[in-house]
Amino acid sequence: TTWHEMVVLAMAVPGTLVSIWLMKRMSTRNLQMYGFLGIAACFVLLAALMEPLKNDHPNWLYAIYCLLLFALCLGPNTTCFVLPGESYPKHIRATFNGMSAALGKLGAVVGAYTFGYLSEITSLYFVFCCSAGLAVAGAILTYMCLPAEGFMPRLKGNTAKDSAVAAVMHEGKRVITTV
């Protein structure tokens, strides 16, 4: 129903707010990695519980789906906007941010069309397991490819000036050349 759709879409708000709160307390890498792992856990739950719950307890499946959308907004949905700003040098940031966004949109389109096709020729169980596997792969790639402290280490004060100073000098080493 429309009410259910509104509740599901509203999960983006607390997910994003918690993500912003956590971003001051952990690196972007960890936030993205834990978000992917949360997404994987939700897909595993959906795969395991879809058949037993779909007839007698559909509200439990709905709750897991809401939790999945919360996890999506908590991690990768928010960090995909932050990482380009942290990782690309200033002189190419806008161009590469646009290219990153375009590739993300392409991945979303491929995923949306593949989901329906795969669920028709296989089963939802298979698609949920594949989605969980892709989320775990995302967490592993995040762990392997992003620096542990993030590209722009945050200082305790979390002011713009402190972040700019931390971006230039971290542990006595020059981290980026332009801020």
Side-chain angles (χ1 to χ4, degrees):
T1 65
T2 303
W3 175 250
H4 285 105
E5 290 175 25
M6 287 175 39
V7 170
V8 167
L9 293 175
M11 294 307 293
V13 174
T16 303
L17 292 176
V18 170
S19 180
I20 292 168
W21 181 77
L22 285 174
M23 220 173 274
K24 293 181 179 182
R25 288 153 181 79
M26 68 173 57
S27 68
T28 310
R29 177 190 99 160
N30 288 344
L31 183 61
Q32 179 165 308
M33 189 173 58
Y34 295 142
F36 273 130
L37 293 175
I39 291 165
C42 289
F43 275 122
V44 167
L45 281 173
L46 284 171
L49 299 176
M50 177 62 80
E51 287 303 316
L53 296 179
K54 74 177 179 183
N55 293 327
D56 296 333
H57 303 287
N59 288 334
W60 284 103
L61 291 174
Y62 177 71
I64 296 168
Y65 183 61
C66 288
L67 187 62
L68 170 65
L69 291 178
F70 178 85
L72 281 165
C73 290
L74 177 68
N77 192 40
T78 302
T79 57
C80 75
F81 295 105
V82 175
L83 278 171
E86 285 185 353
S87 58
Y88 298 131
K90 188 176 183 178
H91 63 282
I92 60 168
R93 188 172 297 153
T95 302
F96 279 49
N97 193 356
M99 288 172 35
S100 297
L103 289 173
K105 305 279 186 282
L106 177 63
V109 168
V110 169
Y113 283 106
T114 305
F115 187 94
Y117 175 72
L118 281 178
S119 65
E120 287 177 10
I121 64 170
T122 59
S123 66
L124 278 177
Y125 174 81
F126 176 79
V127 174
F128 289 152
C129 288
C130 287
S131 298
L134 288 171
V136 169
I140 292 169
L141 280 171
T142 298
Y143 180 79
M144 291 173 45
C145 297
L146 296 180
E149 71 280 347
F151 289 98
M152 294 177 65
R154 296 169 181 92
L155 296 178
K156 295 284 185 201
N158 284 322
T159 65
K161 181 180 175 185
D162 290 341
S163 294
V165 171
V168 175
M169 297 299 288
H170 176 62
E171 297 177 0
K173 298 176 190 169
R174 191 175 201 163
V175 179
I176 47 182
T177 57
T178 58
V179 179

